[in-house]
């Protein structure tokens, strides 16, 4: 009886569920209408370029011919990239650039956020000053830093020579060995305020009572930070690190303007190399395959970003 | 003023004659308005101011002055390395065109040398190009070969092919058809600071005769005075790099292909030849062995060398005659004691011919720009207003404006420009102009193949950077460049 009822009920329940879904969609029809323009725009400016890039990655453009004369080459472009020495060198640069920039920007941002979390005279002014690198144009900043680093008449060189600390200005951006670290310094300088702002916001969620209670219980500054503050910052830290990493993988302006990827490809990262292959050398197929690889890497980071966001939201709900 | 006898220099030298004949060889042999075989500073002076031209009347025959239309136009405009004088002439040109053709709605857009190619290529991929474009000399063949350009020859805008430098016309030819009209053509010269030469123990009035001398002088200047000797430029994606390295490469007898021969086929790669390696070795010796050139050469453009030169921190460089005006402009920005220092440099500025190689071969890049009209299918809006485009081409390529638009830094593409009264005025006003016009017969055009921009802007600077940073030896760098060029020519591997 029960079984029979169950058997009869199942399709009914499914039907009801289907109708329930349709009903729900119908009830929200105006909401869909409101987001429709955004979805259409996204399909045009994001989905189609992604599809076209993936498609192009399986083609090659013969020399002297236009893109419309492209020839299908299967996965040859991917093979060409992965078997190229330059690619692996640029990949190493990209990971050094991304990891170092992210790590240093986060650490510096965290330090600044903690320092500015205390009340002291001029805190607001200092906070405003520290945000400047993040708000000024990256293009302008790149040109200024290029001048600061200039190997012949740069500011750093002039100061060092003027103080008698060096005989010649240091070669910072014209040397294979020092160019990438020098650019990472610029990138960290520009990005750390972002981490600082995010973490300052995160610090507001640390309950004061807990910190005071820990202090009463005899916890030192480090213990209070490690056992009370830091656990509260975990969610925002993960999000900040992921956002910084995505932004660094895609960071074009600083390396392109300051060195154009040189000298001798020593400061090329994926995004600048893709640009050069596409627009300087017109290797559209190879550049597209390269972009697909970059896209997959960023999507992986994006996945972790969404997961981190969801986890943070869930924690908030539980709390 | 330089004490070098340029007339004598031009008349002498078998290799120079060979290059001259290369430049003057053209598929269309007619009578040019000037006698190219007599080309010398004296000859240029003798023809200046001998003929009057009426630009509006000439262009009226091509497109009536009351024509109503619309034209979108991109061009390589003035940039940070150009003198203010040139900026004014560009303003005057567009004002004059609008006054002459009041019913043509001209929408022009200026782009820098290094940005123009990238932007233009991108726009064409989206069929969003302008109706007309003025490109650097190495760009036209690339776009003609891809089918983006309409056929366009001087006769279409009221001039004769013979009115233009044959070498410049060659840069507009693809598979026997003509796709553009030259607006200006130039060759650079060698500039030095006589005061620095004197203080370094060199003859202040004698420029280095050979590239080996440049290496030697550069070292001597650096060792004696502690400043940079020669203004080497090796930045990637910058037109300045090939314009300065190729004269050196050709001087030593090297080449990228066989572009210095009378009938180049571009079928043989020569960048890894013994002579080409010698040329790269000279750069290596200056940058790595002697450390006698700016350390910043790998990220520098010529615009970065100019302030170094004005500050008395650089002894020699290759550039246009316009650099004299640039120095005057830069001096205006100086203050305090720097003004006097700058004036001293300007007073000691000397121009001479580009040095020769060990075998007496002298060569310089035959540079310039050309105007092209696009096919409608690649243009934003899908239409090209041909009469409006021809009106602008006629106007810019006229003897008057091709001269005025090249007043300080270049030479008129239209040879009749040399006959105008403005040329006479220019010879009196622009110091050292005779030196650079003297270099014109030594000009070698870039290879007229679609792959040239990639080879010149990326492969050649890469080769220099690989050798100068120690990432590769000179041998390895030239072999690597040869391999890259082979890949590019055969299908385009990474």
């Amino acid at each position: 009886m029960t079984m029979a009822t169950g058997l009869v009920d199942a399709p009914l329940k499914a039907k009801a569920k289907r109708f329930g879904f349709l009903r729900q969609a119908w009830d929200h029809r105006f909401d869909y209408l409101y987001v429709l323009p955004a979805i259409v725009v996204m399909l045009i400016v994001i989905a189609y370029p992604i599809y076209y890039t993936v498609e192009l990655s399986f083609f090659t453009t013969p020399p002297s011919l236009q893109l419309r004369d492209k020839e299908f080459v299967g996965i040859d472009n991917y093979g060409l990239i992965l078997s190229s020495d330059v690619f692996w060198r640029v990949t190493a640069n990209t990971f050094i650039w991304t990891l170092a920039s992210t790590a240093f920007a986060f650490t510096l941002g965290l330090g600044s956020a903690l320092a500015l979390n205390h009340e002291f005279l001029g805190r607001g002014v200092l906070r405003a000053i520290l945000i400047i690198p993040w708000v000024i144009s990256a293009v302008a900043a790149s040109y200024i830093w290029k001048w600061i680093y200039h190997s012949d008449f740069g500011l750093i060189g002039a100061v060092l020579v003027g103080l008698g600390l060096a005989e010649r200005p240091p070669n910072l951006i014209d040397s294979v060995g020092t160019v990438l670290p020098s650019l990472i310094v610029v990138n960290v300088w520009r990005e750390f305020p972002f981490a600082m702002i995010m973490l300052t916001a995160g610090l507001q969620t640390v309950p004061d009572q807990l910190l005071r209670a820990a202090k009463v219980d005899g916890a030192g500054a480090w213990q209070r930070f490690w056992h009370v503050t830091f656990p509260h910052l975990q969610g925002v830290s993960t999000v900040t690190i992921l956002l910084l990493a995505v932004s660094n993988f895609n960071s074009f302006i600083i390396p392109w303007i300051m060195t154009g990827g040189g000298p001798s490809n020593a400061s090329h990262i994926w995004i600048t190399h893709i640009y050069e292959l596409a627009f300087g050398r017109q290797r559209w197929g190879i550049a597209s395959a390269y972009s697909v690889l970059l896209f997959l890497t960023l999507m992986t980071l994006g996945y972790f970003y969404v997961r981190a966001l969801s986890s943070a939201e869930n924690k908030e709900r539980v709390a | 003023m330089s004490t070098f006898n340029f007339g004598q220099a031009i008349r002498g030298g078998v290799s120079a004659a060979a290059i001259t004949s290369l430049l003057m060889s053209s598929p269309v042999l007619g009578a040019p308005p000037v006698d190219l075989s007599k080309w010398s500073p004296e000859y240029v002076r003798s023809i200046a101011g001998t003929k009057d031209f009426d630009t509006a009347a000439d262009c009226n025959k091509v497109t009536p002055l009351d024509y109503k239309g619309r034209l979108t136009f991109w061009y390589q405009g003035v940039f940070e390395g150009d003198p203010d004088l040139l900026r004014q002439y560009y303003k005057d040109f567009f004002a004059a065109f609008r006054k002459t053709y009041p019913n043509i709605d001209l929408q022009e857009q200026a782009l820098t040398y290094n940005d123009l190619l990238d932007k233009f290529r991108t726009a064409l991929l989206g069929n969003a190009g302008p109706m007309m474009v003025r490109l650097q000399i190495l760009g036209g063949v690339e776009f003609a070969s891809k089918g983006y350009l309409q056929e366009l020859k001087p006769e279409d805008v009221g001039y004769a092919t013979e009115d233009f430098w044959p070498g410049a016309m060659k840069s507009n030819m693809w598979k026997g058809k003509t796709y553009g009209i030259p607006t200006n053509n130039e060759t650079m010269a060698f500039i030095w600071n006589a005061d620095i030469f004197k203080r370094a123990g060199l003859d202040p009035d004698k420029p280095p005769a050979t590239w080996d001398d440049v290496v030697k002088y550069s070292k001597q200047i650096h060792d004696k005075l502690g400043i940079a000797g020669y203004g080497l430029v090796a930045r990637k994606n910058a037109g300045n790099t090939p314009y300065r390295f190729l004269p050196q490469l050709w001087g030593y007898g090297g080449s990228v292909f066989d572009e210095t021969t009378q009938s180049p086929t571009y079928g043989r790669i020569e960048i890894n030849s013994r002579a080409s390696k010698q040329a790269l070795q000279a750069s290596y010796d200056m940058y790595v062995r002697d450390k006698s050139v700016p350390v910043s050469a790998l990220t520098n453009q010529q615009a970065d060398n100019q302030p170094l030169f004005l500050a008395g921190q650089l002894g020699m460089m290759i550039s246009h005659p316009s650099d004299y005006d640039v120095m005057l402009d830069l001096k205006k920005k100086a203050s305090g004691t720097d003004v006097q220092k700058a004036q001293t440099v300007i007073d000691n500025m000397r121009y001479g011919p580009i040095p020769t190689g060990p075998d007496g071969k002298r060569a310089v890049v035959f540079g310039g720009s050309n105007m092209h009209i696009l096919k409608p299918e690649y243009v934003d809006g899908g239409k090209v207003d041909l009469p409006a485009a021809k009106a602008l081409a006629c106007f810019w390529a006229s003897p008057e404006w091709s001269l005025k638009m090249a007043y300080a830094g270049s030479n008129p593409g239209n040879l009749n420009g040399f006959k105008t009264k403005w040329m006479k005025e220019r010879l009196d006003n622009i110091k050292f102009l005779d030196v650079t016009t003297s270099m014109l017969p030594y000009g070698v055009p870039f290879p007229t193949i679609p792959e040239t921009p990639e080879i010149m802007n990326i492969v050649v600077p890469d080769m220099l950077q690989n050798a100068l940073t120690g990432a590769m030896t000179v041998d390895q760098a030239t072999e690597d460049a040869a391999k890259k060029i082979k890949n590019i020519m055969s299908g385009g591997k990474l």
Side-chain angles (χ1 to χ4, degrees), chain B residues 428-447:
Chain B
D428 295 334
N429 292 347
I430 307 292
K431 220 175 169 185
F432 307 120
L433 185 66
D434 53 348
V435 185
T436 48
T437 50
S438 303
M439 285 302 300
L440 276 166
Y442 295 94
V444 177
F446 279 127

Side-chain angles (χ1 to χ4, degrees), chain B residues 72 94 121 177 296 393:
Chain B
T72 51
F94 289 110
R121 283 175 186 143
K177 290 177 179 168
S296 53

Side-chain angles (χ1 to χ4, degrees), chain B residues 256-307:
Chain B
V256 177
F257 297 100
D258 54 352
E259 66 273 12
T260 55
T261 60
Q262 286 220 36
S263 306
T265 59
Y266 312 118
R268 210 174 61 237
I269 298 166
E270 291 287 330
I271 201 148
N272 52 347
S273 70
R274 196 184 56 83
S276 298
K277 284 175 183 170
Q278 267 185 297
L280 184 58
Q281 184 67 45
S283 294
Y284 178 89
D285 289 347
M286 287 189 278
Y287 191 85
V288 182
R289 188 192 67 190
D290 302 337
K291 294 182 173 52
S292 67
V293 295
V295 183
S296 53
L298 307 184
T299 40
N300 265 359
Q301 303 186 66
Q302 177 58 18
D304 299 295
N305 275 338
Q306 288 165 343

Side-chain angles (χ1 to χ4, degrees), chain A residues 85-312:
Chain A
D85 294 343
V86 181
F87 169 75
W88 291 109
R89 185 168 180 203
V90 172
T91 301
N93 289 346
T94 309
F95 278 90
I96 292 170
W97 163 267
T98 304
L99 294 176
S101 297
T102 305
F104 287 117
F106 178 78
T107 311
L108 208 57
L110 178 62
S112 312
L114 288 171
L116 292 173
N117 201 36
H118 299 289
E119 285 282 354
F120 60 88
L121 186 68
R123 184 174 73 154
V125 176
L126 197 59
R127 191 178 278 167
I129 289 170
L130 288 176
I131 289 171
I132 289 174
W134 190 52
V135 295
I136 65 169
S137 146
V139 174
S142 301
Y143 278 110
I144 291 168
W145 273 96
K146 195 179 165 190
W147 168 67
I148 291 172
Y149 278 154
H150 199 283
S151 310
D152 292 296
F153 50 86
L155 186 67
I156 292 175
V159 170
L160 291 178
V161 173
L163 293 174
L165 297 172
E167 270 186 35
R168 284 180 71 119
N171 183 354
L172 295 170
I173 53 170
D174 289 281
S175 154
V176 174
T178 51
V179 64
L180 199 56
S182 303
L183 296 191
I184 287 170
V185 168
V186 181
N187 199 33
V188 169
W189 167 84
R190 216 186 109 64
E191 274 185 341
F192 91 87
F194 168 73
M196 183 186 82
I197 292 165
M198 294 285 283
L199 294 165
T200 302
L203 284 170
Q204 312 307 310
T205 66
V206 182
D208 247 7
Q209 309 94 300
L210 275 183
L211 287 168
R212 280 200 296 270
K215 200 171 181 180
V216 169
D217 288 344
W222 170 251
Q223 285 169 316
R224 286 201 304 279
F225 169 73
W226 190 246
H227 295 292
V228 181
T229 307
F230 195 65
H232 278 88
L233 289 180
Q234 256 177 357
V236 73
S237 295
T238 311
V239 171
T240 305
I241 288 170
L242 284 168
L243 285 176
L244 283 173
V246 170
S247 147
N248 288 326
F249 262 112
N250 263 323
S251 184
F252 177 80
I253 296 173
I254 291 171
W256 187 255
I257 288 183
M258 289 185 68
T259 62
S264 200
N265 296 324
S267 62
H268 252 322
I269 56 174
W270 278 3
I271 194 81
T272 56
H273 201 210
I274 289 170
Y275 179 84
E276 183 184 293
L277 284 167
F279 300 101
R281 303 177 60 183
Q282 296 177 88
R283 304 278 172 260
W284 305 106
I286 293 175
S288 298
Y290 218 137
S291 303
V292 170
L293 294 176
L294 175 62
F295 176 70
L296 290 175
T297 309
L298 292 178
M299 283 303 285
T300 310
L301 286 173
Y303 166 75
F304 286 114
Y305 170 66
V306 172
R307 250 182 65 164
L309 271 185
S310 312
S311 145

Side-chain angles (χ1 to χ4, degrees), chain B residues 117-139:
Chain B
L117 282 179
D118 286 359
K119 176 161 177 168
F120 188 53
R121 283 175 186 143
T122 314
L124 291 175
L125 288 175
N127 301 333
M131 296 178 197
M132 191 171 195
V133 67
R134 175 179 173 254
L135 289 174
Q136 49 263 56
I137 200 164
L138 55 70

